[in-house]
Each structure stands twice: as structure tokens, then as C-alpha cells.
Amino acid sequence: MNFDLSVAGFLLSLVLGGSGWVFRWSDKQKFERQQASLERQQAIAQAEAAAEKKVNEARDFNHLLNNQKQISQGIATGFDDVEKKIDHLKELMLRVESYLIRNQGTNHHE
């Protein structure tokens, strides 16, 4: 049996070329999986950041809203106090007026 070296060389180069292609294809698949994983991680991180930002904005808005309510309540309480003082002054003025009216006749007789 004669063995032709050119056929053996061809088969060897075919095997080596095929295995190189398989390794390249395998590396490409691995790289694409890593890229997809990285892209998923980035998308998750962006979604988490967006959600955290939304929560922080809602929290800040609620703080501002509560501060505004407290300020409004403080102003309303202040106006209630002023109204009570004005009502008290009105009552005192009515007493003074009634006193003056009652004693007006006594001052003219003296």
C-alpha cells in the first residue's frame, strides 16, 4: 500500500483548518455570550438607577408637599390666634363703650 504524502498533507491541513475554524467559532460564541451578559447587566443597572431616581424624586416631592402642608397649618394657626385676639379686643372695646355710655350721664351731673 502506497501512501501519498500530498493526500496526507491535504487531510492534515483540512483537519487543522477545520479545528481552527471550530475554535474560532467557539471563541466567537463565548464572546457573544459575554457581550449579551454585559449588556443585560448594563440594562439592569440602568433600570435600577432609573427606579432609584424615581423613588428619590417621589420622596423629595412628598417632603416638599408635607413641608407646604405644615407651613399652611402654621399660617392657619397664626390667623386663628390673630382672630382670637381681635375678638378679645372687640369684646374689650364693647365693654369700654358700654362703660362710657353708662357713665356719660353721671359725668354731666357733676
Side-chain angles (χ1 to χ4, degrees):
M1 186 168 180
N2 261 346
F3 191 68
D4 189 6
L5 287 180
S6 61
V7 172
F10 174 75
L11 289 176
L12 182 61
S13 65
L14 186 63
V15 168
L16 291 176
S19 65
W21 182 85
V22 168
F23 285 123
R24 177 158 164 43
W25 179 79
S26 174
D27 285 345
K28 183 180 177 188
Q29 294 298 316
K30 182 178 177 183
F31 176 76
E32 288 175 354
R33 282 192 303 271
Q34 288 173 343
Q35 282 296 110
S37 176
L38 180 62
E39 289 172 0
R40 277 192 302 275
Q41 289 173 352
Q42 289 174 342
I44 290 169
Q46 289 173 348
E48 287 174 346
E52 185 177 350
K53 182 180 178 187
K54 189 174 182 178
V55 167
N56 289 339
E57 287 173 350
R59 185 194 67 231
D60 292 344
F61 177 78
N62 286 332
H63 282 298
L64 292 173
L65 185 63
N66 289 334
N67 288 344
Q68 183 63 36
K69 286 179 184 179
Q70 289 176 349
I71 289 169
S72 297
Q73 288 172 348
I75 290 171
T77 302
F79 279 129
D80 288 345
D81 291 343
V82 169
E83 286 180 13
K84 287 177 186 177
K85 289 178 182 179
I86 289 173
D87 289 342
H88 181 68
L89 288 174
K90 284 180 185 178
E91 184 182 322
L92 287 175
M93 289 174 67
L94 284 173
R95 287 183 186 175
V96 168
E97 184 181 15
S98 65
Y99 174 78
L100 289 175
I101 290 173
R102 197 174 9 166
N103 291 327
Q104 184 178 12
T106 58
N107 288 340
H108 287 290
H109 295 291
E110 291 179 14

